[in-house]
Amino acid sequence: MCGIVAYIGSRDAAPILIKGLQRLEYRGYDSAGIALANKTTGDLNVYKIAGKVADLENYLKDKDITGTTGMGHTRWATHGIPNDRNAHPHVSQDGSLAIIHNGIIENHDILRKLLISRGYHFNSDTDTEVIIHLIDDIRKNEDISLEEAVRLALSELVGAYAIVIMSRQEPDLLIAARKGSPLVIGVGQGEYFFASDATPIVEYTRNVIYLGDHELAAVKNGELIIRNIANEIQTPYISELEIDLEALEKGGFEHFMLKEIYHQPESLLDCLRGRVRQIDSSGTVELGGLIKFENQFSNINRIIIVACGTSWHAGLVAEYLFEELVRIPVEVEYASEFRYRNPVILPGDLVIAISQSGETADTLAALQLAKEKGATIFGVCNVVGSSIPRLTDAGVYTHAGPEIGVASTKAFTAQVTVMTLMAVKMALKRNSVTPERANEILTALVNIPDQIREVLKKDDHIRKIAEIYKDAPNCLYLGRGIQFPVALEGALKLKEISYIHAEGYPAAEMKHGPIALIDEQMPVVVIATDSLHYEKVVSNIQEVKARKGKIIAVVSEGDEIIQGLADHVIEIPRTDEMVSPLLSVVPLQLFSYHVAVMRGCNVDQPRNLAKSVTVE
Ligand code: M6R
């Protein structure tokens, strides 16, 4: 994880770096730091501190922050606790070189021992510090350019990195490189920006280059040159950013998470735009990113979905959709398990990665493995130009807009929407669904944005329920069928932002163990909307009530049976069961949000977490 940002040009770098770090803070917020080259004094000033970017800003108040070349870092600790010493940038022994790094150097221990034997002292416990000493060592011994020393050092590293390097002797030089961790270069008029994603860049330029793996970029005296690790010059491809600046601000909401929950009607409209065509009683789906593969849909024998966290939950919803509509087997895998399991990939396997960021290290590695084993690989991602879409054979963007809150909300509903479109598209191509049934599902899908608006009107009611349970130590979430993944997602939302222990279970599994937890202190959130399993869910509610548990039920509008059983009822509009998770998840998002706010938790930046998990 970690966020990195750098600038070289004619403006003051410090304000650009601080603003950039604020935008990247979702990637990590354990410590922050900057380095600036002051050409007048000849100093390379490095300031770093444990805490958030706001703490760094305070710390900088009486410091010399002069410089038109600089770089900044916001950390999510992997090697070494979050403290001032371990904060980035790290410097070479004589202070003449500085580095910021996102990723993990797996052979850092061996390199550290080697460098210690050569007389290097380490000032931190990080894996990053070995890189700067290694570069320094190569440069000293060989009398070669800094760029060349960096290139040689990189060939000795095992692991993942996005790095930026500055030199006191060469203040007009900035060197960056990547392998496995993202790095975007913004190309302005005589100025360049480097960052982990495009958010720190977008207000200065819309022209960006996505640096490839094993590539090094050097800006020297205003000129950018990109080489690969074999020292061959690469021709960069400049793409245009489509991010809307407003999307990066809170826009009147107290937290990004709340803004993103409320943005779901719009984000789903953006996700659906131009993708559904309905004429009379038939509906079709158009997914531009899959066009060249459509004729191969009939050759697919099995779908494997790889993802992590919330995206994995979206994959579980998709399992129900694909099996029901396409009638082929689907396996949903934790990417972190799949990548190390020597999985069996057969002819006709399609592997789909779901990822908001498109950068999750485990998901990326799982996909790479699937590709090596000969599978066709698709991606469903939100961040345009991120690593997963660049690796896949084909894919569909979710177009949910930037998601800044660490807890994923609108990305989940957009992922489920895309997977629904994909399932309907594939089912129509394979004739495994009638056009009429496909059209029913699409009709329900296009109504979802308006129906989410109705759910959002229940916010006050949900806040009142949150007030009652905000101090509960545990919480259980139950759902059956396609609502089971929603139960998992509700539990994940609550635990990650409010630190309440929460578990999601298939409602019927409760009696095989978790029922032992139920007493009068235990809130049980049950998703009990219209479905084939409705009667069975009612029985599960009765089982909880018989043990004095407190039921918070999410039900379909007008439900009378559960009204009489549950302690609290949240009604949501009726819809087709196939798309019902898109509505039922919204009250659970709001419930978690309010509980977390009432408990005084940092909703957008929960402890120990980071938005984009680009390390294993
Ligand atoms: O960017 P990705 O969708 O690949 O991220 C996957 C998970 O890290 C992410 O969903 C995580 O679980 C969120 N914090 C959940 O709210």
Side-chain angles (χ1 to χ4, degrees):
M1 274 91 84
C2 306
I4 66 181
V5 57
Y7 174 77
I8 185 161
S10 53
R11 308 185 205 214
D12 279 339
I16 297 170
L17 302 179
I18 293 296
K19 199 162 188 191
L21 289 180
Q22 285 161 346
R23 294 251 162 90
L24 293 173
E25 205 167 17
Y26 73 90
R27 301 176 66 89
Y29 30 84
D30 294 336
S31 59
I34 59 171
L36 292 156
N38 183 332
K39 287 184 212 167
T40 316
T41 61
D43 290 328
L44 177 58
N45 291 316
V46 174
Y47 308 111
K48 52 187 191 165
I49 186 164
K52 299 195 185 261
V53 177
D55 299 310
L56 176 69
E57 243 186 311
N58 267 334
Y59 178 65
L60 292 176
K61 277 190 180 133
D62 57 349
K63 303 284 187 296
D64 170 16
I65 53 167
T66 315
T68 55
T69 305
M71 61 189 187
H73 186 274
T74 178
R75 179 169 184 246
W76 185 82
T78 57
H79 296 65
I81 59 166
N83 60 17
D84 294 353
R85 268 180 356 108
N86 290 332
H88 297 215
H90 293 283
V91 294
S92 58
Q93 211 125 283
D94 63 359
S96 70
L97 297 176
I99 185 170
I100 52 173
H101 168 221
N102 168 32
I104 287 185
I105 304 307
E106 289 167 14
N107 59 340
H108 71 99
D109 215 24
I110 301 167
L111 292 171
R112 179 182 278 255
K113 284 181 187 134
L114 180 83
L115 288 160
I116 289 172
S117 74
R118 290 182 186 166
Y120 283 87
H121 302 291
F122 279 76
N123 291 313
S124 77
D125 309 312
T126 64
D127 52 336
T128 304
E129 201 183 342
V130 298
I131 312 176
I132 203 68
H133 294 323
L134 189 62
I135 294 168
D136 187 55
D137 193 44
I138 294 171
R139 188 181 60 158
K140 271 189 193 146
N141 291 342
E142 312 260 346
D143 192 25
I144 52 176
S145 72
L146 179 57
E147 198 186 341
E148 182 62 359
V150 171
R151 194 177 67 79
L152 293 173
L154 294 183
S155 63
E156 294 192 33
L157 301 183
V158 177
Y161 54 78
I163 53 168
V164 184
I165 287 156
M166 286 175 65
S167 156
R168 186 169 59 203
Q169 285 87 2
E170 296 178 85
D172 287 319
L173 170 68
L174 207 57
I175 299 172
R178 76 158 265 181
K179 181 189 153 213
S181 299
L183 200 57
V184 187
I185 305 172
V187 182
Q189 295 291 330
E191 59 185 355
Y192 294 91
F193 305 79
F194 293 76
S196 300
D197 70 26
T199 58
I201 296 175
V202 62
E203 61 200 271
Y204 308 105
T205 175
R206 291 195 169 261
N207 296 328
V208 294
I209 298 163
Y210 295 96
L211 197 67
D213 268 347
H214 306 286
E215 285 185 347
L216 275 89
V219 178
K220 196 168 188 171
N221 302 322
E223 193 193 359
L224 168 72
I225 294 181
I226 298 179
R227 294 171 203 272
N228 63 14
I229 201 91
N231 212 17
E232 295 155 342
I233 292 195
Q234 308 293 296
T235 312
Y237 175 75
I238 300 185
S239 24
E240 200 176 325
L241 285 177
E242 284 172 15
I243 306 176
D244 171 9
L245 253 186
E246 254 180 45
L248 304 176
E249 311 293 340
K250 284 191 197 142
F253 286 89
E254 204 185 329
H255 297 100
F256 279 112
M257 182 183 178
L258 189 63
K259 179 189 173 198
E260 287 155 9
I261 293 172
Y262 269 81
H263 187 235
Q264 289 175 110
E266 284 72 38
S267 56
L268 293 194
L269 283 172
D270 288 341
C271 178
L272 288 166
R273 186 160 294 122
R275 289 174 167 173
V276 176
R277 282 193 200 283
Q278 291 180 286
I279 301 161
D280 300 328
S281 62
S282 69
T284 53
V285 172
E286 285 176 20
L287 294 170
L290 301 187
I291 284 177
K292 60 180 183 185
F293 274 88
E294 280 178 19
N295 292 334
Q296 295 175 39
F297 283 171
S298 46
N299 303 332
I300 296 168
N301 298 326
R302 177 174 69 149
I303 294 174
I304 300 171
I305 296 171
V306 290
C308 303
T310 287
S311 300
W312 184 75
H313 298 154
L316 289 177
V317 174
E319 180 178 17
Y320 287 87
L321 291 163
F322 277 88
E323 291 205 344
E324 175 67 24
L325 301 175
V326 190
R327 305 302 302 146
I328 51 176
V330 178
E331 286 165 29
V332 187
E333 301 264 6
Y334 282 118
S336 53
E337 290 298 313
F338 180 85
R339 64 180 289 196
Y340 286 118
R341 216 191 48 232
N342 193 14
V344 177
I345 298 288
L346 302 168
D349 277 351
L350 168 67
V351 176
I352 305 176
I354 305 179
S355 172
Q356 187 285 129
S357 61
E359 300 290 352
T360 300
D362 284 322
T363 310
L364 195 54
L367 208 54
Q368 250 150 358
L369 178 69
K371 188 176 188 158
E372 280 157 27
K373 285 178 174 278
T376 301
I377 55 171
F378 285 5
V380 173
C381 296
N382 193 36
V383 178
V384 176
S386 53
S387 298
I388 290 175
R390 289 191 288 133
L391 178 72
T392 46
D393 297 311
V396 182
Y397 282 116
T398 48
H399 294 314
E403 190 181 64
I404 315 272
V406 166
S408 194
T409 52
K410 64 175 181 172
F412 174 78
T413 45
Q415 288 165 344
V416 171
T417 300
V418 164
M419 295 312 277
T420 311
L421 292 171
M422 247 195 214
V424 171
K425 174 94 209 167
M426 212 176 272
L428 284 168
K429 276 273 170 197
R430 292 169 66 106
N431 293 319
S432 55
V433 70
T434 63
E436 291 72 25
R437 177 68 188 122
N439 199 39
E440 273 170 23
I441 296 168
L442 293 175
T443 303
L445 192 60
V446 297
N447 283 333
I448 289 288
D450 278 343
Q451 292 184 314
I452 291 182
R453 286 195 185 95
E454 294 305 309
V455 181
L456 292 171
K457 288 181 187 160
K458 308 275 160 84
D459 194 8
D460 249 9
H461 173 54
I462 296 167
R463 195 171 41 75
K464 285 178 190 142
I465 302 173
E467 178 76 54
I468 299 169
Y469 295 103
K470 66 177 193 306
D471 297 319
N474 301 292
C475 189
L476 209 54
Y477 285 73
L478 304 177
R480 289 184 90 121
I482 204 164
Q483 298 294 4
F484 162 54
V486 178
L488 292 177
E489 175 60 8
L492 176 61
K493 287 293 85 89
L494 189 69
K495 64 186 140 193
E496 72 179 328
I497 60 168
S498 74
Y499 320 139
I500 292 177
H501 172 242
E503 297 297 336
Y505 269 94
E509 268 297 300
M510 191 185 51
K511 55 186 162 299
H512 299 288
I515 198 164
L517 295 169
I518 290 173
D519 60 18
E520 56 278 9
Q521 311 296 328
M522 174 70 103
V524 182
V525 179
V526 186
I527 303 129
T529 48
D530 291 345
S531 79
L532 286 176
H533 318 286
Y534 177 79
E535 302 297 337
K536 298 195 187 307
V537 179
V538 171
S539 304
N540 299 138
I541 291 175
Q542 272 155 339
E543 286 156 16
V544 175
K545 283 313 298 171
R547 283 144 187 99
K548 301 195 172 63
K550 298 281 183 292
I551 295 283
I552 304 163
V554 177
V555 301
S556 300
E557 234 158 31
D559 182 306
E560 285 177 359
I561 298 172
I562 295 175
Q563 288 279 2
L565 282 174
D567 298 272
H568 312 276
V569 157
I570 305 164
E571 291 189 67
I572 60 172
R574 291 184 183 274
T575 184
D576 193 294
E577 190 183 352
M578 288 284 100
V579 299
S580 57
L582 292 167
L583 296 182
S584 58
V585 75
V586 178
L588 308 192
Q589 296 168 342
L590 287 168
F591 178 72
S592 309
Y593 171 78
H594 290 303
V595 169
V597 170
M598 287 168 195
R599 288 166 69 91
C601 300
N602 187 337
V603 170
D604 284 334
Q605 295 176 346
R607 70 182 179 206
N608 305 338
L609 284 172
K611 181 77 182 158
S612 184
V613 186
T614 56
V615 295
E616 275 191 58

